[in-house]
Amino acid sequence: KLADTYGKLGDKEKMVAVLEKGFGLYPQSQSILIGLINYYLENKQNPERLFELIAMAKTNEPDNASLYYVEGNIYNELRQVEKDEAKAEEYLAKAVAAYDACEGVNAEYEYGHIGKGVMFYNIAIELQDKAANELDDKKYMALVEKFEQALMSALAPFEKAYQVSKDNTLKVNIAEYLKNIYYRFSTKGAEYETGYAKYSEIVK
């Protein structure tokens, strides 16, 4: 409660100090752990500390799939700001592993699939933008190939999310992504044409 009060007053230093002290006294308190996780996420500070906190939260709540989803989001954010290509690829692999782990914890939790799908979809958009500005034909074709690979990587998780989700509004949002992906590949075969028609109707 005290940490929440400091947060509302805009005093982030006192807020995190209270949470850290509380964590030291009551390391099993899930509410304190979640408060700390939210703080580090919102303020983009000390990501290694976040992973420590999430690991502890997993110990306390092994059946909480959302913790793996948050872990995937953190790795994805780190990937986006990482300048070293090899390190960015490492973060990408860890994000995928975290998103995939959600299903093992809770087969009905759709957000792990959504997180993975959105990540690859956004990577595809980034590659598409790079290709649009590339004047060298060889480099352009290489970027287009990577773009299509990323977009294809988004397809299966979005399909799974659509199957699992029981939220109609969320299903329509997922269908929007699927419609766009199937449209891109609609010239590659009847299955893609069928997919585009299916999700276009759902979006309508």
Side-chain angles (χ1 to χ4, degrees):
K1 291 292 185 183
L2 182 58
D4 287 342
T5 301
Y6 280 129
K8 287 172 183 175
L9 290 171
D11 194 333
K12 300 294 185 182
E13 287 186 11
K14 287 185 178 178
M15 174 186 173
V16 74
V18 169
L19 287 170
E20 290 280 8
K21 182 178 179 181
F23 176 73
L25 293 169
Y26 306 101
Q28 297 302 313
S29 170
Q30 193 65 18
S31 62
I32 292 175
L33 280 174
I34 295 301
L36 278 167
I37 288 170
N38 288 338
Y39 170 81
Y40 286 116
L41 277 175
E42 290 168 8
N43 293 277
K44 301 183 187 299
Q45 294 181 5
N46 196 0
E48 290 307 316
R49 179 60 177 154
L50 264 178
F51 295 125
E52 292 173 12
L53 294 169
I54 289 172
M56 294 171 192
K58 287 178 187 174
T59 301
N60 290 350
E61 281 192 281
D63 297 330
N64 188 346
S66 68
L67 295 172
Y68 292 87
Y69 171 69
V70 169
E71 185 178 23
N73 288 344
I74 295 167
Y75 279 123
N76 185 30
E77 287 187 21
L78 290 174
R79 175 195 65 80
Q80 294 178 68
V81 298
E82 181 58 56
K83 302 299 182 184
D84 182 83
E85 191 172 332
K87 192 68 176 176
E89 286 296 319
E90 180 185 333
Y91 285 141
L92 175 63
K94 288 183 176 181
V96 168
Y99 288 137
D100 286 346
C102 294
E103 185 176 18
V105 177
N106 182 354
E108 296 184 354
Y109 183 76
E110 65 265 69
Y111 285 97
H113 303 299
I114 292 172
K116 184 178 176 181
V118 169
M119 179 176 69
F120 279 113
Y121 190 90
N122 287 340
I123 289 172
I125 297 302
E126 291 167 13
L127 290 165
Q128 186 180 47
D129 291 342
K130 285 182 181 178
N133 295 316
E134 181 56 64
L135 299 177
D136 184 286
D137 285 346
K138 190 175 181 180
K139 290 179 180 178
Y140 169 80
M141 292 308 298
L143 286 168
V144 169
E145 185 178 352
K146 287 183 178 180
F147 157 72
E148 291 189 343
Q149 288 173 352
L151 206 56
M152 192 63 76
S153 295
L155 187 58
F158 277 135
E159 283 280 15
K160 188 69 176 180
Y162 186 84
Q163 293 168 18
V164 169
S165 182
K166 296 177 176 62
D167 184 321
N168 286 334
T169 301
L170 192 56
K171 286 171 82 77
V172 172
N173 291 336
I174 297 166
E176 184 72 49
Y177 282 105
L178 286 165
K179 181 192 79 169
N180 294 339
I181 296 171
Y182 276 114
Y183 176 75
R184 171 68 189 187
F185 297 116
S186 58
T187 59
K188 293 185 180 291
E191 62 179 300
Y192 298 107
E193 290 181 11
T194 302
Y196 173 67
K198 172 186 174 181
Y199 290 108
S200 291
E201 285 302 312
I202 290 167
V203 170
K204 285 179 185 177

